[in-house]
Amino acid sequence: MIKLKTGSNTWAANNLRNSVRLMGWNAAWVASMALAAFGPKLMWNYDTLLTILSVLINLGIGFAMVLANRRYLRGLDELHQKIFLDAAVLTLGVGLVCGLSYELLEDIKLIPFQPEISHLVILMCLTFLTGMIVGHRKYR
Amino acid sequence: MKNRLKVLRAERDWTQAQLATELEVSRQTVNAIEKGKFDPSLPLAFKVARLFDMAIEDIFQYATES
């Protein structure tokens, strides 16, 4: 009779560690983005060197976050990788198609205001969230 | 693809969580494979076969639509 492992699940523990690491990088990126956005006006009165530095820090942390996201994805099991990638593909498609159409709306004078990148980011976040929920329900 | 994972697991009195730990996947993945909603990759299928000490084709059968 084959004896199964008992005790902790190392795969789950690694997965949790990757999730926490990704969350940390996300929080750091948001904080560095806030620093780069509000720092020049509120903290150092548009000092060029400090502004450039804050933008570079934001970019550096952003790339580290991307790498943490890749590590998180690679640590998932194959079903969860599939769910994640399906949601990511959907997000990329929706972001590209809707982003370009949104930009076009202003060009062809169908909307009176300048398209905001934040609207696209919100749409992409909601699309990814929906894709993840649908994927998890599909394989429940 | 059809499989006998649920039967084999039940014969050994293992839970989905125990099998998932052994295969280093989530319980949801084991459940999805058992229900035929998700086909495992070849490496995972080999892992399952090795765990049950059986040939892959004795666990997983390719089923064409009728």
Side-chain angles (χ1 to χ4, degrees), chain A residues 46-91:
Chain A
Y46 296 99
D47 180 276
T48 308
L49 181 66
L50 288 176
T51 302
I52 290 172
L53 205 62
S54 68
V55 170
L56 289 177
I57 288 170
N58 177 238
L59 276 174
I61 292 176
F63 283 116
M65 182 183 70
V66 170
L67 294 178
N69 198 23
R70 186 180 68 167
R71 175 185 273 192
Y72 168 77
L73 174 64
R74 288 179 174 177
L76 294 175
D77 71 11
E78 49 193 66
L79 173 63
H80 288 90
Q81 281 187 3
K82 179 176 167 46
I83 291 171
F84 187 104
L85 289 174
D86 281 352
V89 165
L90 183 69
T91 304

Side-chain angles (χ1 to χ4, degrees), chain B residues 43-54:
Chain B
L44 183 56
F46 268 110
K47 216 169 178 178
V48 172
R50 195 174 299 132
L51 180 65
F52 287 106
D53 198 22
M54 297 172 80

Side-chain angles (χ1 to χ4, degrees), chain B residues 24-42:
Chain B
E24 296 183 314
V25 296
S26 64
R27 194 197 60 76
Q28 187 187 7
T29 300
V30 170
N31 186 52
I33 294 171
E34 282 186 358
K35 286 185 172 174
K37 290 181 176 178
F38 177 69
D39 292 334
S41 66
L42 201 51

Side-chain angles (χ1 to χ4, degrees), chain A residues 13 18 22 31-32 41 65 69 84 86 93 108 118 129-130 138:
Chain A
N18 287 340
L22 178 59
S32 70
K41 186 180 178 186
M65 182 183 70
N69 198 23
F84 187 104
D86 281 352
I108 58 177
S118 55
L129 189 67
T130 306
K138 184 179 174 186

